[in-house]
Amino acid sequence: MSFYLPESVDCNGELFKVFITKEQIDARIELLGKKLDKDFEDKHPIFIGILNGAFIFLADLMRSVTIPCEVDFMKLSSYGDEKVSSGQVTELKEIDAKVKGRHVILVEDIVDTGLSMKYMVEKMKKHNPASVSVITLLHKKEATKHDVQVDYVGFEIPTKFVLGYGLDYAQEGRNLAQIYALHEEE
Ligand code: PRP
């Protein structure tokens, strides 16, 4: 399979430049998979992807683990079509799986302010799982205002607007195979 890997892209009239390459993403996911294999051996975890953004990361992450595991999805929205969080989480799809007594791994593409993940962790804990862990491909640590649990991180990134590999700008750009950052004039 070949991928479209341009150095820069136009998305909804804005210029984005490559920020994390496909090679870097693949290498990091391989390491994360190995770590999850070890930490969840004999635990039969259930990955819960938070749609839409997490779908590509989750697909690659799950294929990098070798232990028996399951998957389900939850859909949230906090950004709408904007570059900044609305400050409110809207639940658009509930999980179907029964998570009581299970080891749950919540999967995000990005933790930014932390609002969505805080909401998800609190929600999961109400279902009495055996454990709740959080993995995110990207973490904007400096932008995180909410007290949120993050157990596994692909990349800590500065406060930039990023696109691709599942992340969108007004719903476009999710299909890009690497991560791009909004180009800011100096
Ligand atoms: C994005 C992203 C996370 C959340 C992170 O979702 O996928 O779920 O924002 O931001 P936060 O830490 O400030 O809550 P978005 O609401 O844009 O929906 P999407 O996943 O459908 O793109």
Side-chain angles (χ1 to χ4, degrees), residues 50-55 75-82 84-90 92 107-118 139 143-146 148 166-169 171 174:
I50 302 169
L51 297 173
N52 288 337
F55 78 112
K75 183 164 174 166
L76 298 182
S77 179
S78 65
Y79 276 69
D81 286 345
E82 305 302 322
V84 288
S85 171
S86 65
Q88 276 200 322
V89 178
T90 310
L92 301 173
V107 183
E108 261 291 21
D109 52 326
I110 186 164
V111 172
D112 190 330
T113 66
L115 180 71
S116 309
M117 191 47 85
K118 185 168 192 281
H139 186 199
T144 303
K145 304 186 281 207
H146 297 273
V148 69
L167 293 109
D168 72 306
Y169 173 30
Q171 301 307 326
R174 295 191 198 270

Side-chain angles (χ1 to χ4, degrees), residues 33-49:
K34 288 201 173 103
K35 184 136 182 50
L36 294 177
D37 272 350
K38 199 161 148 257
D39 294 355
F40 289 89
E41 195 182 0
D42 301 324
K43 290 189 172 164
H44 201 121
I46 177 160
F47 288 90
I48 297 185

